[in-house]
Amino acid sequence: MTTRSIELTVNGTVCRAEVEPRTALADFLRDDLLLTGTHLGCEHGVCGACTVNIDGVPARSCITYAVLCDKAHVTTIEGFDGDEVVGRLRQAFSEEHGLQCGFCTPGMIATARDIVLRLPEADDARVRLELSGNLCRCTGYSGIVRAIRRVLDERKLAGQPAVNARTRLGPAGSGHAGASLGRERVGAGAAPAPAEAALPAPSQGSVAALPGDKLSGDAKPSVAVRHSFVVPERRDRVWAFFENVEDVVACMPGASLTEATPDGRLSGQMSVRLGPISATFLGNAEIARDPARYSGTIRGHGRDRTSGSGSTGEIRYALVDEGERTRVDIDVTASLTGTLAQFGRLGLVNDLVRRLTDAFSANLQARLRPGEPGGAAGEALAQPARLDLASMLLAVIGARLRLIANRLRGR
Ligand code: FES
Ligand code: FES
């Protein structure tokens, strides 16, 4: 079994250990250091129960590898014992009925402490937004929000300023181990880009702010995904198709265009359903094309007023000549905020984007080959009026569970 040596400071104590590269920080904390105050709920980066501080930044220890925390300072709920803010939060959670079974509470406290220190002016809406990555199955959240607001108000009355000047929000990691272990590569498993693809590697978190866009500064988490698919058509034909914005948008599940101007500006909407959450993102985008390189960029931002979710993103595409076929390389970088942000964990988003681009590819081929079996002539495209993320998410999780089951069976 391959192991690596790590040294990290946990709750003020230096720890040295040999860990497998796949060991999650949460497992290391619980199983090796017996710090069982760090709870594990979903083990998938969704529920927030495992939240700890890594170098002062709240992070999900279930999806953070222990080796990536080499040289980092980690603080778990046990390490906050003497912390003045956490002391106040504990009391306020108790007085405002901010907990029942207490399972979510260690993660809630870590996130709440970050809110109190970083956002002294936060109102109820902002507190709820910041808590959107921590799930509680008991309280209904009202008591938790009241508790955090109580501590915020007390500190404001006492003239205590924000003391945490950090400006970035996740993904958090120690940052110390990057040089030796390699930074997390976005789009893992995606097709490698050959020379002609001409798309530079996407830089995680590099979503550019657009004029009037208030989302990017608050966005969490940023995602970046690279995906490729092949269309059985010559490149010139596919390029000509890509020049018609209406046709391209019509291939995207859930998307529709309301306005397109000759200078490449678009207005449109994207409808998404996620269980009980129904969102319609209204937004604007700009398109830039480079005919010499058969590539283009679409930058846009959108907001759903009902759910309070927002997104900012950039799609870069390049058409690669493969004779009678064309490979379409797509880089997507995006930031989500609000209710839907909790589904922005990299692995899930990667799978979802792959399924979206598969649907886009099928629709593209249907449009390019009208009249053929599976073609578009007289048929509705494989495009629901509203993008059902829930069924996609279930399909993704189902596929992963089958993979795990097959591994356990040794297949
Ligand atoms: Fe880590 Fe749920 S256990 S986010
Ligand atoms: Fe039980 Fe939050 S208090 S899950």
Side-chain angles (χ1 to χ4, degrees):
M1 183 195 317
T2 307
T3 60
R4 285 180 185 270
S5 303
I6 57 170
E7 178 184 304
L8 62 169
T9 305
V10 180
N11 300 337
T13 301
V14 176
C15 310
R16 294 182 189 85
E18 294 285 323
V19 295
E20 289 184 56
R22 67 181 179 178
T23 303
L25 177 62
D27 292 332
F28 175 69
L29 294 171
R30 290 176 56 85
D31 300 343
D32 291 32
L33 304 185
L34 303 181
L35 294 170
T36 51
T38 298
H39 290 172
L40 283 169
C42 66
E43 298 186 59
H44 219 74
V46 174
C47 74
C50 64
T51 305
V52 299
N53 267 15
I54 303 176
D55 287 340
V57 180
R60 287 157 204 284
S61 56
C62 71
I63 53 170
T64 302
Y65 290 122
V67 289
L68 287 175
C69 298
D70 188 28
K71 309 285 191 299
H73 287 251
V74 175
T75 308
T76 68
I77 191 70
E78 293 91 342
F80 287 126
D81 266 357
D83 186 272
E84 182 248 329
V85 174
V86 169
R88 280 299 308 123
L89 282 166
R90 281 188 165 129
Q91 193 178 343
F93 266 60
S94 179
E95 291 166 355
E96 297 287 358
H97 306 289
L99 73 157
Q100 288 181 28
C101 77
F103 191 83
C104 68
T105 310
M108 284 286 180
I109 292 284
T111 301
R113 179 180 182 274
D114 180 62
I115 296 170
V116 168
L117 291 177
R118 183 167 49 87
L119 300 166
E121 303 297 330
D123 57 10
D124 280 10
R126 184 59 190 261
V127 169
R128 285 180 180 274
L129 174 67
E130 295 288 327
L131 281 177
S132 62
N134 289 73
L135 306 184
C136 174
R137 302 192 67 178
C138 302
T139 64
Y141 300 100
S142 297
I144 296 172
V145 175
R146 279 200 309 272
I148 296 173
R149 283 297 310 277
R150 183 194 275 216
V151 177
L152 280 166
D153 291 346
E154 284 173 3
R155 288 178 60 86
K156 205 189 295 186
L157 270 178
Q160 292 171 295
V163 296
N164 186 342
R166 76 179 176 85
T167 53
R168 73 182 171 88
L169 289 168
S174 73
H176 304 297
S180 59
L181 295 170
R183 292 214 171 275
E184 184 175 82
R185 179 71 184 94
V186 291
E196 198 188 351
L199 281 182
S203 53
Q204 191 169 8
S206 66
V207 178
L210 293 173
D213 171 31
K214 296 191 179 65
L215 299 174
S216 52
D218 294 338
K220 72 171 181 179
S222 293
V223 295
V225 177
R226 167 170 289 180
H227 191 54
S228 298
F229 59 88
V230 172
V231 183
E233 290 290 342
R234 296 188 71 82
R235 182 164 69 171
D236 283 342
R237 178 126 197 269
V238 180
W239 179 252
F241 180 86
F242 267 75
E243 286 193 329
N244 188 332
V245 176
E246 286 87 353
D247 284 350
V248 174
V249 171
C251 291
M252 181 55 73
S256 61
L257 199 62
T258 51
E259 191 181 354
T261 62
D263 63 353
R265 291 175 189 277
L266 311 174
S267 302
Q269 65 180 46
M270 180 125 180
S271 299
V272 173
R273 190 177 61 222
L274 182 59
I277 304 169
S278 187
T280 297
F281 287 89
L282 300 175
N284 301 307
E286 287 178 9
I287 298 183
R289 295 189 188 85
D290 182 353
R293 297 162 67 93
Y294 289 89
S295 64
T297 305
I298 304 167
R299 297 172 62 211
H301 61 96
R303 184 156 197 87
D304 170 57
R305 292 192 190 284
T306 310
S307 70
S309 300
S311 72
T312 300
E314 180 176 295
I315 301 171
R316 290 182 290 164
Y317 62 89
L319 308 186
V320 182
D321 189 3
E322 293 190 345
E324 294 301 313
R325 322 182 314 166
T326 302
R327 197 184 73 235
V328 182
D329 288 343
I330 296 181
D331 275 349
V332 180
T333 51
S335 293
L336 288 171
T337 56
T339 317
L340 293 174
Q342 59 191 284
F343 293 92
R345 315 299 168 219
L346 191 59
L348 287 179
V349 170
N350 204 351
D351 282 347
L352 285 171
V353 170
R354 183 170 298 117
R355 281 160 196 264
L356 270 177
T357 49
D358 284 348
F360 178 79
S361 165
N363 289 335
L364 182 63
Q365 290 176 46
R367 291 236 161 200
L368 282 166
R369 298 193 153 188
E372 291 191 9
E379 297 179 22
L381 295 178
Q383 176 190 350
R386 189 172 283 271
L387 176 61
D388 191 345
L389 282 182
S391 57
M392 275 196 177
L393 205 58
L394 285 175
V396 167
I397 292 169
R400 287 181 173 210
L401 288 176
R402 279 194 295 279
L403 196 66
I404 292 167
N406 284 340
R407 277 193 194 137
L408 289 174
R409 286 192 212 113
R411 286 191 213 153

